[in-house]
Amino acid sequence: MSAESGERVPGGRTLDEDALLAVDREVALMFRRGRARVAELSRRVHPELEGMAYSMLGYIEQAGRVRVTDVGVYFAVGKATVSRQIRALEELGLVARVADPLDRRAAFVSLTEDGRRRYLAARDVRMRRVREVMGGWSQGDVVRFAELLHRFNDVFGEPAGE
């Protein structure tokens, strides 16, 4: 079946190409805005931070204490990139690194008190904006949107089948 007439999906339904293109455009816009917003939030945490630092701090804050290698796996970045990012956070006093007592080649990282305070302050600013933007939505719409985003991210994160 051609893309113009729609692609068959489970249950015999077809996906409309225009609808799929609209999803692709909106996701691309969300990604672009998200990258810009994360960079802004990183600088809010500390003026010398850039890029994905805010997201890394969020992951570390949620984990409590995590192996540096697991940070790299979570963000799908190589060892050199994650080491450089963690080193920058460490030099600014936002994270503390300790050697793994069971494997001296590995290290754990966690937020310092200053890192936690700065991260949570930036997160509060972001969440105020989310509340403003979604304030007119019903609770059911917010829950459904979160569920759909979760479902999309679960599938989108899987390797593409060729």
Side-chain angles (χ1 to χ4, degrees), residues 93-161:
L94 302 173
V95 300
R97 185 189 319 228
V98 295
D100 181 344
L102 302 176
D103 180 357
R104 302 305 276 175
R105 297 167 299 166
F108 287 103
V109 67
S110 59
L111 295 184
T112 63
E113 284 306 312
D114 187 43
R116 179 171 282 103
R117 182 184 55 77
R118 287 172 176 260
Y119 167 76
L120 292 176
R123 187 184 70 183
D124 288 347
V125 168
R126 182 190 65 162
M127 290 310 299
R128 274 196 300 275
R129 178 68 178 137
V130 171
R131 280 187 204 91
E132 287 172 12
V133 168
M134 301 193 86
W137 292 37
S138 73
Q139 178 70 22
D141 283 350
V142 173
V143 168
R144 182 71 178 137
F145 185 60
E147 289 169 348
L148 290 170
L149 281 173
H150 180 79
R151 181 176 161 195
F152 179 82
N153 283 323
D154 273 355
V155 174
F156 201 74
E158 295 174 359

Side-chain angles (χ1 to χ4, degrees), residues 47-106:
E48 294 180 34
L49 291 179
E50 56 187 55
M52 65 191 287
Y54 174 82
S55 298
M56 277 194 177
L57 290 170
Y59 175 70
I60 295 166
E61 195 274 334
Q62 185 178 18
R65 184 175 96 149
V66 64
R67 283 178 177 259
V68 172
T69 53
D70 291 340
V71 175
V73 168
Y74 182 82
F75 288 98
V77 297
K79 185 177 178 181
T81 300
V82 75
S83 292
R84 182 174 35 79
Q85 291 278 343
I86 295 295
R87 187 170 41 258
L89 294 171
E90 193 174 21
E91 288 170 0
L92 293 171
L94 302 173
V95 300
R97 185 189 319 228
V98 295
D100 181 344
L102 302 176
D103 180 357
R104 302 305 276 175
R105 297 167 299 166

Side-chain angles (χ1 to χ4, degrees), residues 33-43 51-55:
R33 288 179 176 169
R35 278 192 300 273
R37 187 73 176 137
V38 165
E40 176 188 322
L41 288 164
S42 292
R43 288 187 301 276
M52 65 191 287
Y54 174 82
S55 298

